[in-house]
Amino acid sequence: MNTKIDIKQKIEQAKKGDQIAFTTILNYYWNEVYNFMLKRTGNETDAEDICIETFSKAFDKIITYNPEYAFNTWLISIAKNVHIDMLRKRKASHFIEMTDDEEMLYKNIADDSQTEEDELIYEQNLATLKNCIKQLKPHYQEVIQLRYFQEMTYNEISEEINEPLNNVKIKLLRAKKLLLELLATK
């Protein structure tokens, strides 16, 4: 698939919910978006995470895509926004400005170590999460297990399950979406 006509056709099919079209689009544009974000972030993991979130957002909102503009331009603008959001979240979590009075107040706060109640809540949340994971199809369970419980990289998962890297990314993307939907109903 090398022509814009084929891509436009795949985009139209994707708008109708065609999963094969989604996969084709992801495979066609993945390297372009990934390489752009890798240059921008200088970090492979961040670039991969941004790409996954970019394609997730693009596929969720593909119906809003205006064909008067290049699809890759639309994807890159989504990727830029995802990157900006990621930087904002990181900055917000790292820096909190305090006055001297506030600093003294925070120094006098009680110990925040885990209580038995906190541990119970954690265990209940973990049990709910594991229960939801068990409701997923086995191939989704496997990639979730390898990525988040065994902390394997995408490349390691690809080698472990003997599938192409893009397939692993798509499976993780779908697994996370399904898992979020299940968790939302709990």
Side-chain angles (χ1 to χ4, degrees):
M1 177 180 52
N2 294 347
T3 65
K4 287 186 178 192
I5 295 168
D6 288 336
I7 288 296
K8 287 182 180 180
Q9 181 183 14
K10 293 297 178 190
I11 292 167
E12 288 307 311
Q13 291 169 342
K15 284 182 177 182
K16 295 174 184 167
D18 184 333
Q19 292 300 312
I20 295 170
F22 283 127
T23 302
T24 303
I25 293 167
L26 184 129
N27 289 335
Y28 189 78
Y29 287 108
W30 179 269
N31 287 337
E32 182 178 352
V33 176
Y34 174 79
N35 289 331
F36 176 83
M37 291 315 302
L38 184 59
K39 286 178 188 170
R40 193 171 167 127
T41 64
N43 181 303
E44 290 179 9
T45 303
D46 285 348
E48 282 182 351
D49 289 344
I50 291 167
C51 283
I52 289 170
E53 191 169 339
T54 296
F55 282 97
S56 174
K57 286 184 179 205
F59 292 162
D60 283 345
K61 304 288 185 194
I62 197 160
I63 199 75
T64 66
Y65 166 67
N66 182 347
E68 292 179 19
Y69 302 101
F71 192 76
N72 60 339
T73 304
W74 187 63
L75 285 172
I76 294 293
S77 67
I78 293 171
K80 286 179 183 177
N81 289 333
V82 168
H83 183 222
I84 289 167
D85 289 345
M86 182 182 76
L87 292 174
R88 284 181 183 150
K89 286 178 189 172
R90 283 185 183 165
K91 184 177 180 183
S93 68
H94 288 288
F95 301 103
I96 300 173
E97 291 193 28
M98 288 190 226
T99 65
D100 289 339
D101 291 337
E102 290 172 327
E103 193 170 336
M104 284 302 293
L105 177 66
Y106 286 107
K107 284 182 180 178
N108 294 325
I109 290 179
D111 181 17
D112 65 348
S113 59
Q114 292 278 335
T115 65
E116 287 183 32
E117 184 179 305
D118 292 334
E119 289 177 26
L120 181 62
I121 291 169
Y122 173 79
E123 292 298 323
Q124 288 173 340
N125 288 340
L126 187 58
T128 301
L129 178 62
K130 285 182 178 180
N131 185 34
C132 288
I133 291 171
K134 287 179 184 176
Q135 294 177 40
L136 298 174
K137 291 182 180 177
H139 60 274
Y140 292 144
Q141 288 180 28
E142 181 181 28
V143 293
I144 290 283
Q145 175 70 28
L146 294 172
R147 179 69 175 149
Y148 298 104
F149 292 96
Q150 295 182 23
E151 298 182 351
M152 290 180 142
T153 66
Y154 296 111
N155 288 328
E156 290 170 340
I157 296 169
S158 175
E159 290 172 17
E160 176 77 19
I161 65 174
N162 197 27
E163 287 195 27
L165 185 60
N166 282 340
N167 286 5
V168 170
K169 292 173 183 174
I170 290 169
K171 277 186 181 179
L172 268 169
L173 178 68
R174 289 183 182 155
K176 287 194 299 187
K177 280 187 169 189
L178 292 169
L179 192 55
L180 285 172
E181 289 172 10
L182 287 170
L183 287 168
T185 63
K186 298 289 178 191

